[in-house]
Structures are given as C-alpha cells and as structure tokens.
Amino acid sequence: MSSQQLVLKQRALLLDALCGGGSAEPLDCVLDLLLAWEVLIWEDYLIIRVTEKPVSSNARCLLDVVYEKGEDASGLLLAAFKQVLPEEQKSELCFGKEYAVLEKNRPATATSALLTDRPVLVRKLRDNIHEALDVLMTTGCFTIKDCDGVQLPVYTPSQQVRRLLDQVRFKGETAARTLLKYLDQTEPINKEHQILEETKRFTASPDTLLYQKKLRSSVAAQSHFLSTYGGTGRFSLDDIYTNGLLEVMNGCGETTTLELEDVVGPVGILNKDADTVLVSGEAGNGKSTLLQRLHLLWARESLLTDIYLLFPFSCRKLNTEHRVLSLKELLFLHCCWPDRNQDEVFQFILDQPHLVLFTFDGLDEFKQGFTDEERHCCPTQPVPIPTLLFNLLQGTLMKGVMKVVASRPQAVGPSLKRYLRKEVHLKGFSPVGIDCFVKKQYRDPGMAGRIIESLQGNSALHSLCHIPVFCWIVTKCHQELLGGEDCIPQTITDVYLLVLQHFFLRKSSQPQGALRKGWLEQHLDTVLKLGQLAMEGLEASCYVFSGHELQRHGLTEHDISIGFLIYCYDMSVTDSKRYEFLHITLQCFFAALYVILNRSNNRSDIPKLFLSHRQPSGLSPKFLGHCVDCSGEKDESKMVEKPDLQITAQFASGLLSLQHRNLLLDCCPAALRERRVKQVVKSLSKAMQRHFKCIPGPVEGEKKSMHAMPSFVWLIKCIYEMQNNSIARDTMAKLDVEHLKLTYCNIGPVECTALAYVLKHLRNPVGLQLDNNCVGDVGVEQLLPCLHNCHSLYLRNNNITDEGIRKLVEKGVHCEHFQKLALFNNKLTDSCMQHFALLMKSKQNFLSLRLGNNNITSQGAEQLAEGLSCNRSLQFLGLWGNHIGDSGAAALANALKNNTEIKWFSLVDNGVGSAGASALAELVSQSKTLEELWLNKNFISRDGVECLIKALKMNSRVKEVWLKGNNLSPEEEQELKKEESRLIF
Ligand code: ADP
C-alpha cells in the first residue's frame, strides 16, 4: 500500500495518536520534524498550528496538508510518527516502506537553520530558556513584551521554547544569529557535562549493571498494570493512561503547566538546595498513577534517562515495616535484592547520588506526621522507618538523591515545606482529558460517544469526572448509568453507591437488574464486615491488611472475590498475602457505611467524625482524635489535617440524605437513622460555627471578609452530600460577611457545585474570591446557581476559556447584584468579547471588568468597545497584558468618552504606540470622571506623550497617567515630567 493510502486508511488512528493523550506535544514534535525535513514550509506551519483551535483540528489540518503534498510527503509523515510515538502506540500503526531523510547542505541563513535544526533546538533550549531570553533581551533582539509572550504560564516549557523559536524567526536574521551563537557557547559546557556523565556511567561495575537490569525489570513488571483494575479486568497502563493537569507555581504565585517529564526538571524550582519534589493533589486525582507512569517509562528507558537507579516506595507499605533498618536494607529489602556484590552496588549509590531517584507514594498515609527533630545521616546504621524516611526527605541522609513524594496537600505542613525543591500540583483531568479517558476505556466509539454525551448532559456528574477516580467509577458503571431508571448521580455518595451496586451485580447469579430492590440489605453482612475493617484501618492509619486480619473480621474468600479488596503487590519479600482497598476513597466509603449502618449504640461516632480533622504529628493517631480549634493552643506547625476522616464524614452525610432513605431503611431501623441524621446536622452546624467564629471583625473602612480555610470547603461539601436545602439555608443564615475569600484552596468543578448549592442561600450578596484555583469552564457553569448572590466574582488564574464566559454572561446579565468580574490570567480570546459587549450593554450597574493577561487583540477590543459605548456605569476597566494595539486602544477610548463613571483604565503592556496614545488623549480631555490611566510597557514616544499632556491641561480631574517603560529616553522623561507633573515615568 502506498504511503498516501496508509495515511488515509489510518487517519483515525493517527489522529488518536496525536491527540489521544490530551497534550499537544506529539503534534508539535511531528511538526518540528516535518519542518526540519522540509516537508512543510513555514507558511504551512502557520496554517496548521493555530493555538486558538483545538489540537484535534490542528492535527486534521496537518494530515490534509501532507496528504495533498503527495507520496513522499506522506512517507515522511509516517516516518515522523515512527520517531515520535512511544513503542506501545506504534504497535497499532503500519508505517509502510522506510523513508530515508536526505542529508541536506547546511542552511544558508540563521533563520532557516532555526527550521532545519528545530527538533534539536527544542531539546537544547528547554533547560535554559531563561538564559536564552536574557541574551535576546540584552542584545536588544527581544522586548520585555516578547519575553512575556514566550513565557505565558499557560504554556508548557516545550511550548515556550517553540514560541521563542517562532518569535526569533519573526524578528529576523540578527535575532536568529544571536540565539544560535548563544547556543554554540553553551554547547561545550553541555558537551563536557555529557562526557562527565558518560564517564560516570562507565564506572558502574558489571554487577551494578546487572542490578540495574533487575531493578528495571521488576519496576516494569510492577507498574505495567493499573492496580485498581485488578479485580475487574486488567488494564495496561499504556492503554488507559491519560495526562492529568499538572501545574507548578513560582515564588510570585504564577503558575506554569507542566508535562510529565518536567516533574523532576528545572521548571518551578523554589529551593535549589533541596532534593524533594512534592506532587500534591486530592484523593483520587491520580498521584499514584502518575508515579506509576514515571516508573514504567523509566524502566523502559523512555523517560528520566539520566537516572541510573530508581527506587519506588509506598508509604502505606512502609507502615507495615516494624523493624529497624538501615538505608541499605530498606533499598534492598523493599525494592530489589542484588544477586551479587551488594556492597559494590550500594557503594555506587553512595558515590553517585545524582544518578539515583527515590519515589514515595502516599506520604499522607504514613502513620507518623513529618518531623525534622531527629537527625540521622549514616546510611548503614539501622533506625526506625520514620527516622529513615524523614531524614531522606530533609536531605540529611543521602543528600543529592532526588526524591519525588506524592501526598494529599493536607498532610504537608510547614515543617516539611521547608525542605521542598518544588511543589507540583496535580489537578485531575481537563474536560478534554475526560473525553480521552472514556475513549480509552471503551474502544467502541459508539459506546464512548454515548457515555461522553450522557456526561455532558449532566453537569454535576461531569464535574465529578474531573477527578480521575470518579471518572473511572462512572465509566465503569456505564450500564447502570445509561440504562438507569434511577436518578442520575449528583454527589460522590451517589457515585460510590453506584459502584457498590455494580460490584454486587457483577458477582450476582441473578439476571441483570434483579438486584435493584433491597440489594444493600441482601449484602449487608459483607458491607458491615468490610466497613469495620475499613474503619479500624483508618483509626490506625492502616491501609494494608493481612489475611489474618481479614479472617478476624470474618471476611471470606467470597467476600474478597467481590473485588473491593485487591492483592497488594509488593516488591519486598513477604511470605503472606496482603490486601488493600481498591482506592483510599473506597475504604472511607466503607468506613462511612459502617458508621451509619452498624446497630451499636455508640452515640459519639458521628460527632467525633466531624471534630476530628486534625492531629498533632508524631503521635499515634487515635480514632477520631482532636478537634480543630481556633484558640491556637496547639503548635500549628505540628498540626496536620486528617483527610481520610473528612472524606468519611462526607460519605456519612451523603448516606443520610433523603434520597437514600429507602435504601437505608432496609438495613437500619428508622429511629436509628433519624438519630444519626440529627447528629450529623448538629455536628456540621457546630463545626461551621467554630469556623465562622474565627472570622476577624471588620477593619475600619474595609469590608467584613472571611478567608476560608480548606476545612470550610470540606464542610460545604458535606452539606452538599446531604442534599438538604434547609440545612444549607440555616447554615448560611449565620454567615455574615461581605467578602468570601477562597484563594489557593484547590477549588475544582466538584467544589464549585457544592459552593453554589450552599451560597445560593446567602441572605446578602458577597464578593466571591476564587483566585488561583482550578475552576475551569465546568466549574464556572457549576457556580451559576449562586451568581445572583455574588456582587463580585474573582476568578484570576483558573483555566477559563471563552466557553465558560459565554455561560457566565448568559446568566450574569440577569443577576441584579452582579457588578464586578476579575479574570486575570485565563485563556480568553477575542471570541468571548461579544459576550462582554452584551454584558456591558445589558447591565447598566456593572462596575468593574478586569481581563488582564489573556489573549485579546484589537478585534476583541473593538467588539468590547461596541458594548461599552452603550454602557454608562463601568468604573474600572483592566486589560493589562493583552494585544490591543493602537486600533484597539482607539476604539476603547472612543467608546469610553460617553461613559459617565469610568475612573480607572489600564492598557499596560498592550503594544500601544503614539497613535493609540493620541486617541486616548481625547478620552483624557473629555472624560468627566477618569482619574487614572495606566499605559506602562507600551511603545509610546514623545509625540504620543505630548498629546496626552495637551489633554491633561484641559482636564484637572485626571490624577495620574502612568507611562513607565515606553519609547522615551531618560532625558525626554525628565523634560516631559517637568511639563506635566501628573505623568508618571
Ligand atoms: P491518588 O493517588 O491521587 O489517590 P490514583 O492515582 O490512585 O489517585 O487514581 C485513582 C484511580 O483513578 C486510578 O486507579 C485510575 O483508575 C484512575 N486514574 C488516575 N489517574 C489516571 C490517569 N492519569 N489516567 C488514567 N486513569 C487514571
């Protein structure tokens, strides 16, 4: 078959290979190669790679363009796929005959070298992008604006490099030559470094090499399958792994999106002297799976290629190690035993710490909270496991070995934060990720399509699917979901009841559907036994159970075979089988079932559950231990939250919702259920009261505001699980604030659903500040039910796109109180400006619109201006860091002339020149309200400023015009300042 036919025939597979992982990286790599091989010319590239369009549409365009170019181009396209795709994806594709890439003469110009060497340049520049930008800035090739454009935090490091290369090419030959010269200079250092590394590698003895092979193969075997699928059909990680959203924050609070390989890379380092990288994320966000992927790719030598030995640890398994061990014993006993020459292998580890990586999964599940009180630095002296672990994390022991630790954020207190090299946040699936995951689960496109459609039709369920473990359950239970006459699940308790039913149904000999009535009662015995095991496990931070413990709880082979418990695969040498729950959230769910369904008369179980989300670290955890209190009598630095019990409390609330009343009544007497409902309501109310009491009184002249703690979000989620409006109303009646601040609280779509459910009952509107979370478009949609109760909405840095704005404005125009919106640093383009224009036209009481650091050009500004010209109320308009340019500035200035309220207007860093400034001068001269105009970091020269001065002479109301960083010499600035003191340079 010809290459052209192969491209056509395999179109779906090729598209899937390019877009299936939810990342644009494979497409970009293929494009790099095709540019280098001159299959594509620069103009083709510009047509294909349009960042405003989805990756899938870019990929389709690529296939079309190459197909049109004929047989050779198609052959080279397949060759590029072969080079870029990982082994497991290649097996599905046929690449046809080999196409050799012809050796070309060296390109005549530096700009063409940027294309022919593009794949190599991308690799080289990834680790020194900042230095390269510095060089381009200091040589005058780049402006600050160019640098900012390259480094927008929405781009991954590789994408930033490609933007840099594109921009250099656009600037021309001098810039290209400067960049290549810089790279030439750094080359020898890199080469030297490489040689040094190579030499080090060769010092590994044959026995160490043998050990590496053994370790690689045992890590590969362990990480090949996804363990949660153990009982329910084995899924290879390659088939199911979907990229999650990974972000890192720099010291200034700006976030950058990362790829998997960047987890241990240089991006986002906060403390160069530390060796511990934290991957943090809520339960079920995919931390263990991410580590598993890293392990597998290392074992296959596809990632972390400079790491010689990788030792994976699980903290839940370390809990079961009661012996005192030396580091040497820990490595060899728990990971991989050297068949020969132990001492030599260990010496290699000691001598080459930079070639070694340790990973620790589930630090939050480690029995003991982190402390740095005990120092230990001897690798051969046996000590208790916590001492070993904590000293490794601090770097007292084995300084230089890179450590990657995964944990829920609640378990990482300030004492550990001191030792972190960087913190990577794993935020679950994006909407594209959810679709990818479903398609990977169901290779039948019809079925996948139906599931995606049903998810999109139910926004509460869709929002749950942003958390991978819920996404897995929801897709697992598709039969119940698609065919269900029952209500579609809304809460996580609904979802977990669905999976409970699904597992029992799978095991049942009865025909499908026969399980429905009384199914929980029918399996109550198993549920209670598992529940007790789960609860006792949580009490003791125990997540791994021996066969003996199972027996003690009366669990039989049949109970185990239902699938909630799975074998715990372990590299360490143990003689008995051990088990764990499919996922920690499932253990919490069983614990909640036990608390709610057991018939004992213990009245304190529920209240304690709601009091017990903190415990001092270092103490052995006691069931439902210490309450949160604001008195501060305990040492805060030693307090860590206990997220397991919070999740359990959430499930307990959900089980007591009215919706599940009938199901529960089969299993638990009505009076007992009622008593437990009352207890939950009372406990929730008390916990919330305690939280409200922490709110400081208003500072004079400021609004009364509450900076909520993560535990506030947890309590809100419990209320949502109960699905009881009157509880939500009663709770909110006691909240008396004007501003509710929930920044950096890991608020995703799920949390937005719960927040809206409760906040819609507020008596008076509040300002809702959700900056620096991961709300996204789905989260925005979830917030709509409480929008009428928000006078301001702050959503800075939240991954929101034009689609989210469409929905927000659709609702916002009908909300009387809604007056302020801040959307700094999202993913907005010109396409959403028509919606803001509508907002401006429709709401004549709207006060403030801030859209900084998005992707708005002059076209978008013109659309906004159209709406603004009909608006009389807007006081603050911020467009900092967009690409409005002169024509956009002129359109906005013209529109604002009629506005009778505008006080503050910012066009900082928007490519505005003197033409724009002279249009703005008209606004300055005519406005009766304008006080501040911000024009820093633009290209305004003397003529423009003179227009502004003239205008200022006519208007004494304007207080300040900011002009720092424009096209003016220091002398000009001084001179102009003398003419008009309200200009600020
Ligand atoms: P965490 O460690 O954060 O609690 P896990 O990694 O155990 O979460 O994820 C729970 C389940 O969610 C996994 O067993 C798997 O079914 C699913 N999952 C998580 N991350 C991914 C991913 N990247 N791709 C596919 N499935 C995933």
Side-chain angles (χ1 to χ4, degrees):
M1 201 181 286
S2 75
S3 298
Q4 246 182 329
Q5 282 169 324
L6 280 174
V7 169
L8 205 57
K9 205 159 168 249
Q10 302 183 96
R11 189 174 169 93
L13 284 175
L14 293 173
L15 285 173
D16 192 42
L18 287 185
C19 324
S23 143
E25 190 59 21
L27 172 70
D28 283 331
C29 290
V30 168
L31 284 171
D32 291 345
L33 287 171
L34 295 182
L35 281 170
W37 298 341
E38 295 175 13
V39 176
L40 296 178
I41 56 168
W42 185 242
E43 286 69 24
D44 295 328
Y45 173 73
L46 294 180
I47 291 169
I48 294 167
R49 191 71 178 101
V50 182
T51 35
E52 285 77 28
K53 290 195 182 160
V55 178
S56 55
S57 109
N58 289 186
R60 281 197 184 90
C61 185
L62 166 70
L63 297 189
D64 295 343
V65 170
V66 174
Y67 182 83
E68 285 296 315
K69 286 182 183 269
E71 179 60 18
D72 285 351
S74 301
L76 286 164
L77 174 76
L78 292 170
F81 269 85
K82 202 169 174 187
Q83 203 160 319
V84 166
L85 297 182
E87 284 307 320
E88 64 275 8
Q89 268 183 319
K90 278 194 237 176
S91 57
E92 292 183 349
L93 288 165
C94 172
F95 295 96
K97 72 172 181 174
E98 289 282 330
Y99 261 82
V101 179
L102 295 179
E103 275 293 319
K104 304 242 163 55
N105 291 334
R106 282 305 300 157
T109 62
T111 35
S112 37
L114 290 187
L115 290 190
T116 43
D117 294 344
R118 191 168 165 103
V120 185
L121 292 175
V122 170
R123 261 201 313 278
K124 276 191 193 163
L125 276 167
R126 271 178 62 96
D127 290 346
N128 16 17
I129 187 156
H130 296 294
E131 290 83 349
L133 282 171
D134 275 352
V135 170
L136 289 163
M137 280 268 287
T138 43
T139 48
C141 300
F142 264 31
T143 61
I144 299 181
K145 194 170 156 52
D146 295 324
C147 292
D148 290 349
V150 166
Q151 288 181 297
L152 278 181
V154 289
Y155 298 117
T156 63
S158 312
Q159 285 170 333
Q160 292 185 357
V161 172
R162 291 190 181 96
R163 284 176 70 85
L164 180 141
L165 291 173
D166 297 351
Q167 188 66 3
V168 169
R169 202 186 135 79
F170 172 73
K171 294 269 172 184
E173 198 52 23
T174 314
R177 248 185 266 128
T178 309
L179 179 70
L180 294 178
K181 194 168 148 216
Y182 157 73
L183 282 169
D184 272 350
Q185 283 161 357
T186 54
E187 188 85 318
I189 304 169
N190 287 344
K191 268 197 187 133
E192 259 170 44
H193 184 68
Q194 232 173 26
I195 293 164
L196 201 72
E197 291 292 305
E198 291 300 323
T199 340
K200 280 177 188 160
R201 272 162 200 265
F202 284 111
T203 59
S205 68
D207 287 343
T208 310
L209 197 67
L210 215 61
Y211 180 69
Q212 187 203 38
K213 270 195 184 152
K214 185 176 175 189
L215 185 63
R216 276 200 202 276
S217 69
S218 103
V219 171
Q222 249 211 118
S223 47
H224 191 62
F225 289 106
L226 206 53
S227 61
T228 37
Y229 295 92
T232 60
R234 280 156 85 75
F235 261 88
S236 103
L237 191 63
D238 290 328
D239 290 340
I240 199 71
Y241 188 80
T242 308
N243 285 323
L245 273 173
L246 265 181
E247 281 181 0
V248 76
M249 201 183 296
N250 65 18
C252 318
E254 290 161 352
T255 47
T256 308
T257 314
L258 297 184
E259 302 278 346
L260 190 60
E261 62 263 37
D262 301 315
V263 170
V264 289
V267 187
I269 296 178
L270 297 173
N271 178 358
K272 275 191 179 153
D273 299 328
D275 314 309
T276 299
V277 173
L278 173 69
V279 177
S280 80
E282 298 295 338
N285 259 359
K287 300 177 293 298
S288 309
T289 313
L290 177 136
L291 285 188
Q292 199 177 327
R293 185 76 183 151
L294 275 184
H295 299 162
L296 184 64
L297 296 180
W298 171 78
R300 286 190 186 142
E301 298 183 58
S302 337
L303 204 75
L304 303 175
T305 42
D306 47 357
I307 295 297
Y308 197 82
L309 299 173
L310 183 150
F311 294 92
F313 294 97
S314 142
C315 291
R316 62 167 55 183
K317 288 172 195 161
L318 289 179
N319 279 336
T320 60
E321 178 58 84
H322 302 295
R323 293 170 289 183
V324 286
L325 295 180
S326 67
L327 175 74
K328 185 175 172 187
E329 289 160 337
L330 179 79
L331 297 182
F332 295 161
L333 285 172
H334 276 260
C335 288
C336 180
W337 187 258
D339 295 324
R340 277 191 252 162
N341 220 339
Q342 270 192 46
D343 290 337
E344 199 178 274
V345 173
F346 192 61
Q347 197 54 48
F348 176 87
I349 296 170
L350 296 180
D351 292 346
Q352 318 285 352
H354 58 287
L355 300 181
V356 181
L357 178 81
F358 296 164
T359 67
F360 296 97
D361 190 19
L363 186 68
D364 47 291
E365 294 177 355
F366 195 60
K367 254 186 198 157
Q368 207 166 312
F370 177 83
T371 137
D372 57 1
E373 277 157 18
E374 201 175 330
R375 298 289 155 133
H376 166 77
C377 56
C378 172
T380 46
Q381 185 197 340
V383 283
I385 295 294
T387 311
L388 264 187
L389 174 61
F390 300 155
N391 280 281
L392 281 171
L393 298 184
Q394 285 170 57
T396 327
L397 182 60
M398 293 302 291
K399 179 89 201 133
V401 169
M402 187 72 84
K403 274 85 54 174
V404 180
V405 180
S407 172
R408 281 176 272 180
Q410 296 91 332
V412 182
S415 55
L416 177 57
K417 289 219 165 170
R418 273 206 297 274
Y419 300 102
L420 294 183
R421 186 173 176 82
K422 67 173 168 181
E423 181 170 356
V424 177
H425 301 270
L426 181 57
K427 301 197 157 176
F429 290 153
S430 65
V432 179
I434 297 176
D435 292 359
C436 282
F437 178 82
V438 176
K439 284 182 191 154
K440 287 184 173 194
Q441 276 261 16
Y442 294 97
R443 291 284 168 183
D444 166 13
M447 175 60 89
R450 279 169 60 210
I451 294 177
I452 291 173
E453 207 176 295
S454 78
L455 288 182
Q456 282 166 353
N458 175 348
S459 59
L461 192 60
H462 197 206
S463 69
L464 283 176
C465 288
H466 286 73
I467 298 182
V469 72
F470 301 156
C471 196
W472 164 66
I473 293 180
V474 168
T475 47
K476 193 98 239 122
C477 304
H478 69 277
Q479 273 174 352
E480 290 83 346
L481 196 71
L482 295 178
E485 320 94 54
D486 303 341
C487 296
I488 301 276
Q490 299 282 320
T491 65
I492 61 161
T493 312
D494 297 348
V495 169
Y496 276 68
L497 278 170
L498 199 68
V499 81
L500 197 67
Q501 190 180 350
H502 174 84
F503 274 51
F504 284 131
L505 184 66
R506 206 166 47 95
K507 265 281 151 190
S508 161
S509 50
Q510 297 163 16
Q512 288 210 348
L515 199 66
R516 295 224 182 272
K517 176 100 188 69
W519 64 268
L520 187 57
E521 187 189 14
Q522 203 182 328
H523 295 275
L524 189 61
D525 181 47
T526 308
V527 167
L528 286 177
K529 283 186 288 185
L530 284 167
Q532 193 176 12
L533 179 79
M535 189 71 234
E536 286 179 12
L538 295 186
E539 284 171 11
S541 296
C542 173
Y543 309 89
V544 179
F545 307 96
S546 67
H548 173 69
E549 274 163 307
L550 264 51
Q551 258 178 13
R552 201 167 56 77
H553 285 83
L555 285 157
T556 61
E557 278 298 324
H558 174 261
D559 294 328
I560 297 168
S561 70
I562 296 169
F564 298 116
L565 288 172
I566 50 170
Y567 289 134
C568 173
Y569 293 98
D570 199 344
M571 289 208 215
S572 64
V573 196
T574 50
D575 38 12
S576 64
K577 267 188 194 166
R578 295 193 292 171
Y579 301 82
E580 59 192 346
F581 281 89
L582 266 178
H583 190 255
I584 176 66
T585 47
L586 201 70
Q587 183 170 350
C588 296
F589 180 60
F590 273 104
L593 281 164
Y594 182 72
V595 170
I596 300 299
L597 295 180
N598 84 76
R599 299 210 176 193
S600 84
N601 221 2
N602 191 345
R603 285 168 182 267
S604 59
D605 281 1
I606 289 178
K608 281 181 186 165
L609 200 58
F610 282 89
L611 284 169
S612 66
H613 64 288
R614 276 177 176 224
Q615 64 172 34
S617 63
L619 295 185
S620 132
K622 284 198 77 197
F623 176 27
L624 313 172
H626 303 262
C627 68
V628 59
D629 66 4
C630 328
S631 61
E633 65 198 42
K634 297 195 178 85
D635 180 356
E636 273 293 311
S637 69
K638 287 190 187 164
M639 300 286 272
V640 285
E641 295 198 9
K642 265 311 265 179
D644 299 340
L645 296 180
Q646 293 187 342
I647 301 173
T648 309
Q650 219 178 313
F651 281 128
S653 312
L655 287 169
L656 292 171
S657 80
L658 218 54
Q659 231 154 301
H660 303 308
R661 188 161 175 260
N662 288 342
L663 183 70
L664 248 62
L665 280 182
D666 294 336
C667 315
C668 167
L672 190 57
R673 181 191 170 275
E674 287 317 310
R675 198 175 76 220
R676 287 182 172 154
V677 171
K678 277 193 193 134
Q679 281 185 315
V680 166
V681 174
K682 199 166 152 201
S683 310
L684 263 173
S685 162
K686 272 193 178 167
M688 202 58 115
Q689 281 307 306
R690 269 196 304 277
H691 202 91
F692 292 162
K693 272 197 201 131
C694 302
I695 307 172
V699 180
E700 216 177 280
E702 273 187 23
K703 289 192 171 154
K704 187 169 179 187
S705 75
M706 175 174 101
H707 194 152
M709 300 298 166
S711 61
F712 174 76
V713 182
W714 160 60
L715 292 169
I716 295 271
K717 290 207 279 193
C718 292
I719 295 175
Y720 175 72
E721 289 297 309
M722 286 203 90
Q723 291 285 298
N724 185 325
N725 275 311
S726 67
I727 300 177
R729 193 173 304 115
D730 291 351
T731 314
M732 283 304 106
K734 291 163 202 144
L735 181 65
D736 175 26
V737 291
E738 291 165 84
H739 189 90
L740 185 56
K741 196 168 171 186
L742 284 157
T743 53
Y744 298 106
C745 279
N746 286 324
I747 310 259
V750 180
E751 288 71 24
C752 289
T753 314
L755 265 177
Y757 184 80
V758 174
L759 295 183
K760 69 180 180 209
H761 296 291
L762 277 171
R763 291 207 175 146
N764 298 310
V766 289
L768 181 57
Q769 189 169 353
L770 294 171
D771 300 333
N772 299 304
N773 285 296
C774 39
V775 169
D777 293 344
V778 181
V780 167
E781 194 180 351
Q782 294 303 299
L783 287 172
L784 299 183
C786 73
L787 196 60
H788 64 280
N789 257 340
C790 297
H791 52 68
S792 328
L793 190 55
Y794 303 86
L795 287 165
R796 299 177 184 104
N797 200 17
N798 263 302
N799 269 327
I800 296 166
T801 75
D802 301 331
E803 178 56 14
I805 298 306
R806 184 181 68 75
K807 291 183 178 150
L808 183 70
V809 170
E810 212 169 78
K811 175 82 195 262
V813 291
H814 303 296
C815 296
E816 169 63 21
H817 301 299
F818 180 46
Q819 292 184 306
K820 293 183 185 171
L821 184 58
L823 285 158
F824 181 82
N825 206 21
N826 279 287
K827 294 183 173 162
L828 310 185
T829 72
D830 290 339
S831 309
C832 68
M833 287 297 124
Q834 49 174 321
H835 308 303
F836 287 122
L838 175 73
L839 185 75
M840 291 300 109
K841 279 185 201 163
S842 322
K843 276 192 68 74
Q844 294 300 331
N845 68 345
F846 206 81
L847 298 178
S848 170
L849 183 63
R850 294 177 192 255
L851 303 173
N853 220 17
N854 280 287
N855 211 353
I856 304 163
T857 71
S858 59
Q859 282 176 14
E862 279 158 22
Q863 287 188 347
L864 179 64
E866 203 242 319
L868 275 174
S869 57
C870 309
N871 180 281
R872 301 279 170 275
S873 61
L874 197 73
Q875 296 182 352
F876 297 87
L877 178 60
L879 286 157
W880 183 79
N882 282 287
H883 318 282
I884 302 293
D886 282 333
S887 58
L892 289 168
N894 198 29
L896 285 173
K897 272 192 247 159
N898 301 329
N899 182 299
T900 50
E901 298 291 333
I902 192 80
K903 286 184 182 160
W904 185 97
F905 181 26
S906 167
L907 281 179
V908 169
D909 194 10
N910 258 294
V912 178
S914 289
S918 88
L920 286 161
E922 282 192 42
L923 170 66
V924 170
S925 67
Q926 290 179 28
S927 175
K928 303 211 174 357
T929 50
L930 189 68
E931 291 175 3
E932 286 179 39
L933 178 61
W934 287 73
L935 293 169
N936 296 345
K937 285 201 196 169
N938 279 299
F939 304 120
I940 302 169
S941 50
R942 194 181 179 111
D943 320 344
V945 181
E946 278 169 356
C947 295
L948 286 165
I949 294 178
K950 245 190 240 159
L952 282 167
K953 300 285 179 218
M954 294 156 70
N955 189 344
S956 58
R957 243 176 250 103
V958 177
K959 291 181 185 151
E960 286 165 351
V961 174
W962 289 75
L963 285 161
K964 284 179 193 261
N966 277 284
N967 283 359
L968 299 159
S969 66
E971 295 76 31
E972 280 177 317
E973 287 184 358
Q974 260 187 357
E975 198 185 312
L976 293 164
K977 175 89 187 165
K978 270 190 206 144
E979 274 190 56
E980 177 52 70
S981 61
R982 286 173 287 167
L983 297 182
I984 301 179
F985 295 104

